[in-house]
């Protein structure tokens, strides 16, 4: 999509359609919409006062302009109630408008919310572009769309010269970030069949080459040498070998980087502790944490943020076979800790343990892992927030702030010491699951991970938010790309 910011008079711009947002309860629009209304001899206020259009969030209404203004059509989009207005509402309504205009080749819009008393123009432009691009996303690798998307050019128009630069910065940011989210969505939507660990590594290498990042991929032999018994054990049951992927942005000898670690289970059958058949196909998205890390690395590099960042991905396919690990087996993580594997379906924590140990070598400023770790987190929080666990209050606060800014919500959950009692093993240092009823499953996963960190750390359990979230207008069916916007915002705030 070509995105541009232009200075101009909204009533004069020649375009197929001009998109205007209207709050609920408005009868006489002001600002840009007011100018269009006057040029159309009150056609907008007529629609609003007659109740033809109620301005509910994301509702759309088309008007023909009969040559009275430069635009052929006006696309009204409801902004909902002004009290509930936020940057996330801008994303949602922009998505709804873009979908309504998908069969046009170009669309002109104002940056929703950038008017007097509204959002910062940069944030308004960023959210408008993000919403537009995310709203148009579809996973089209295996199916031609019934109604193709023709929209190729998007223009933000603004008449005040002093706002242009901020709008431009925001629009560019929005485009980079939204395209990075779509990159992550594509990865998570892709079946395990065509995206096993080796292929995930190849995609990471391709991305690194494109962006000029350092990238290293560890194969089975290298994993053996590093003693990464967690990743190896989980990968053992599959004919597709596991991989550990390292991406570095701006890392120098003594640059304490921020490390992002992603769970990259390209398919999770549960292994010998096999999952029930219903819904197992969704377990292709068990690498959504890895996808979020790759998407964030992409955004950070394209935005050229002045910060050093490392991306770590622990990739494996969790399958049962004659070679698979069995319940009761004891494995050793790369820091020497032994783990009794009481449930082969609690595999995410095993691969992440090796990644978290590896992160120690960077002397990191902070480490954030992102993982579809537990069904229990979805039970606790549903699809409206990721679980946030942290051993560092200031890091947790930074993540909460980024969550507020992006609308990618997080909710803090506890890491009580008492949970550790529940994963004590008789024969090893620790076991990987409790097997004693459904108690605090998300916290137990997190407390396991905590055993492998010695730095400021946060764990995001994204099992609920990574896939099929229908409550946001800028989501499509399938992968949401959750985490890319949150992590990028967090890293941007850090600079
Ligand atoms: N990948 C799953 C968690 C998951 C479940 C993500 C549903 C998304 C949707 C994870 O590997 C898993 O199987 N966790 C187990 C842990 C249990 C065995 C301790 C779970 O949640 O049941
Ligand atoms: Mn599992
Ligand atoms: Zn899993």
């Amino acid at each position: 999509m070509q995105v541009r910011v232009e200075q101009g008079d909204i009533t004069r711009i020649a375009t197929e359609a001009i998109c205007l947002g209207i709050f609920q309860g408005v009868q006489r629009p002001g600002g840009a919409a007011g100018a269009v209304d006057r040029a159309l001899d009150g056609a907008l206020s007529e629609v609003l006062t007659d109740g033809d259009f109620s301005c509910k969030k994301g509702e759309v209404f088309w008007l023909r302009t009969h040559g009275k203004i430069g635009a052929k059509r006006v696309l009204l989009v409801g902004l909902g109630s002004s009290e509930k207005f936020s940057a996330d509402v801008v994303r949602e309504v922009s998505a709804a408008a873009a979908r309504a205009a998908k069969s046009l080749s170009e669309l002109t819009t104002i940056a929703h919310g950038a008017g007097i008393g509204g959002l910062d123009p940069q944030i308004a432009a960023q959210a408008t572009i993000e919403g537009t691009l995310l709203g148009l996303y579809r996973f089209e690798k295996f199916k031609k769309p019934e109604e193709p998307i023709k929209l190729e050019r998007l223009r933000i128009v603004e008449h005040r010269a002093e706002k242009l630069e901020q709008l431009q910065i925001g629009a560019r940011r929005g485009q980079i970030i939204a395209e990075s989210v779509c990159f992550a969505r594509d990865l998570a939507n892709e079946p395990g069949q065509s995206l096993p660990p080796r292929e995930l590594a190849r995609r990471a290498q391709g991305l690194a080459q494109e962006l000029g990042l350092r990238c290293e991929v560890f194969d089975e032999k290298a994993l053996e040498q590093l003693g990464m018994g967690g990743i190896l054990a989980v990968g053992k049951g599959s004919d597709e070998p596991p991989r550990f992927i390292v991406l570095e942005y701006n890392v120098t000898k003594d640059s304490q980087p921020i490390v992002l670690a992603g769970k990259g289970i390209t398919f999770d059958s549960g292994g010998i502790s096999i999952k029930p058949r219903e819904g197992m196909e969704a377990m292709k998205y068990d690498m959504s944490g890895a996808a979020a890390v790759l998407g964030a690395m992409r955004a950070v590099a394209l935005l050229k943020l002045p910060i050093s960042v490392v991306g770590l991905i622990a990739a494996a396919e969790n399958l049962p076979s004659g070679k698979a690990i069995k319940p009761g087996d004891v494995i050793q993580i790369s820091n020497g800790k032994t783990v009794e594997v009481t449930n082969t379906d609690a595999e995410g924590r095993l691969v992440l343990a090796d990644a978290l140990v590896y992160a120690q070598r960077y002397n990191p400023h902070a480490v954030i892992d992102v993982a579809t770790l537990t069904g229990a987190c979805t039970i606790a929080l549903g699809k409206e927030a990721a679980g946030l666990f942290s051993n560092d209050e200031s890091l947790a606060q930074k993540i909460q702030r980024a969550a507020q800014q992006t609308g990618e919500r997080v909710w803090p959950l506890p890491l009580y010491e008492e949970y550790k009692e529940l994963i004590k093993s008789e024969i090893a240092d620790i076991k990987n699951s409790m097997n004693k009823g459904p108690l605090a499953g998300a916290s137990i996963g997190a407390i396991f991970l905590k055993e492998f960190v010695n730095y400021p750390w946060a764990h995001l359990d994204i099992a609920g938010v990574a896939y099929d979230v229908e409550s946001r207008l800028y989501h499509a069916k399938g992968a949401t790309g959750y985490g890319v916007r949150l992590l990028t915002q967090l890293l941007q705030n850090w600079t």
Side-chain angles (χ1 to χ4, degrees):
M1 176 88 71
Q2 186 203 90
V3 175
R4 276 196 303 170
V5 175
E6 255 176 47
Q7 185 179 14
D9 175 347
I10 197 145
T11 62
R12 300 229 169 140
I13 256 172
T15 176
E16 287 187 51
I18 175 90
C19 175
L20 301 167
I22 316 270
F23 281 114
Q24 242 161 9
V26 167
Q27 307 251 310
R28 296 217 159 271
V36 171
D37 189 34
R38 283 189 296 280
L40 295 180
D41 307 318
L44 298 196
S45 18
E46 196 179 358
V47 165
L48 295 170
T49 40
D50 287 356
D52 293 348
F53 177 58
S54 70
C55 304
K56 285 204 196 78
K57 182 178 77 181
E59 195 190 354
V60 295
F61 192 90
W62 287 101
L63 277 104
R64 288 265 163 184
T65 61
H66 307 292
K68 289 182 185 163
I69 62 172
K72 206 165 167 191
R73 312 168 182 83
V74 173
L75 171 57
L76 297 180
V77 61
L79 298 178
S81 121
S82 57
E83 272 125 67
K84 292 189 192 155
F85 190 65
S86 67
D88 211 44
V89 170
V90 173
R91 281 181 208 103
E92 292 207 78
V93 305
S94 302
R99 280 203 278 257
K102 67 175 182 296
S103 53
L104 305 179
S105 66
E106 53 96 18
L107 176 68
T108 305
T109 184
I110 55 158
H112 301 297
I116 298 150
L119 304 167
D120 181 293
Q122 192 184 309
I123 288 171
Q126 182 178 338
T128 300
I129 300 302
E130 282 177 3
T132 303
L133 300 184
L134 294 178
L136 292 175
Y137 173 84
R138 296 192 277 201
F139 181 61
E140 291 180 338
K141 186 162 176 163
F142 302 109
K143 189 182 175 188
K144 281 287 143 262
E146 276 134 46
E147 291 170 87
I149 289 164
K150 297 210 186 105
L151 207 53
E152 275 174 350
R153 275 165 298 139
L154 184 70
R155 170 165 51 182
I156 289 182
V157 65
E158 167 60 52
H159 72 277
R160 276 155 299 184
E162 68 274 14
K163 280 196 178 178
L164 282 182
E165 195 188 335
Q166 290 306 303
L167 290 172
Q168 233 134 25
I169 293 172
R172 186 170 165 274
R173 235 179 228 166
Q175 183 166 18
I176 288 174
I177 292 172
E179 287 172 358
S180 300
V181 174
C182 293
F183 177 82
R185 285 182 179 179
D186 274 342
L187 288 173
N189 280 325
E190 187 154 345
Q193 173 194 38
S194 54
L195 196 61
R198 281 183 299 176
E199 180 60 17
L200 187 60
R202 225 179 51 85
R203 306 277 176 100
Q205 278 168 322
L207 182 69
Q209 196 152 45
E210 212 180 293
L211 302 171
L213 307 180
R214 209 181 81 79
C215 179
E216 199 171 353
V217 175
F218 297 99
D219 63 9
E220 312 88 286
K221 253 214 198 121
L223 290 170
E224 217 49 91
Q225 266 156 17
L226 286 162
M228 291 191 159
I231 299 176
L232 283 166
V234 173
K236 254 172 56 174
S238 171
D239 289 346
E240 288 291 347
R243 289 289 182 266
F244 184 63
I245 307 162
V246 180
L247 287 162
E248 290 181 359
Y249 170 72
N250 259 348
V251 174
T252 56
K253 212 166 81 354
D254 32 34
S255 62
Q256 288 199 292
I258 294 172
V259 178
L260 310 175
K263 169 176 172 180
I265 299 298
T266 58
F267 185 75
D268 182 13
S269 70
I272 297 294
S273 313
I274 199 159
K275 289 180 179 296
R277 61 189 167 207
E278 289 81 25
M280 205 203 272
E281 69 278 8
M283 278 301 112
K284 66 178 185 180
Y285 86 85
D286 212 17
M287 34 58 70
S288 294
V293 169
L294 287 177
M297 293 300 291
R298 181 186 186 277
V300 164
L302 289 173
L303 292 169
K304 300 195 163 57
L305 296 186
I307 186 174
S308 25
V309 187
V310 175
L312 303 177
I313 289 165
E317 184 174 68
N318 189 20
L319 292 185
S321 79
K323 294 203 183 96
I325 51 165
K326 299 169 286 295
D329 286 356
V330 175
I331 63 167
Q332 191 168 37
I333 305 299
S334 40
N335 65 345
K337 271 200 186 164
T338 54
V339 179
E340 182 189 1
V341 179
T342 49
N343 190 327
T344 66
D345 198 11
E347 84 297 338
R349 59 200 74 180
L350 301 177
V351 300
L352 278 174
D354 277 329
L356 292 172
V357 170
Y358 191 87
Q360 293 179 13
R361 73 179 57 199
Y362 287 100
N363 184 23
H365 202 68
V367 178
I368 299 135
D369 79 68
V370 192
T372 47
L373 204 71
T374 67
C377 193
T378 315
I379 303 290
L381 301 173
K383 296 187 159 278
E384 298 312 321
L388 167 65
F389 303 83
S390 183
N391 63 1
D392 186 283
E393 193 45 43
S394 118
L395 175 60
Q397 275 172 15
K398 285 192 176 80
I399 293 172
Q400 282 170 306
R401 168 152 182 260
Q404 246 162 20
Q405 291 168 292
T406 56
E408 292 199 320
R409 290 204 194 102
V410 296
W411 193 260
L413 291 172
L415 280 168
Y416 298 132
E417 290 222 351
E418 288 82 348
Y419 294 134
K420 224 194 120 182
E421 290 299 311
L422 304 173
I423 48 171
K424 273 205 168 139
S425 165
E426 294 295 326
I427 63 166
D429 294 329
I430 185 177
K431 60 185 181 184
N432 78 331
S433 81
M434 176 175 68
N435 289 353
K436 237 203 275 149
L439 293 182
S443 283
I444 288 167
I447 211 85
F448 180 94
L449 296 178
K450 187 166 173 279
E451 286 300 296
F452 301 91
V453 309
N454 64 358
Y455 38 63
W457 160 75
H459 158 59
L460 292 169
D461 192 331
I462 63 166
V465 293
Y467 203 80
D468 274 353
V469 179
E470 283 170 18
S471 56
R472 307 289 170 94
L473 295 172
Y474 50 80
H475 285 165
K477 272 232 157 281
T480 60
Y482 179 100
V484 176
R485 293 189 296 111
L486 175 71
L487 293 172
T488 307
Q489 185 69 51
L490 175 74
L491 295 166
Q492 189 190 305
N493 293 347
W494 224 301
T495 63

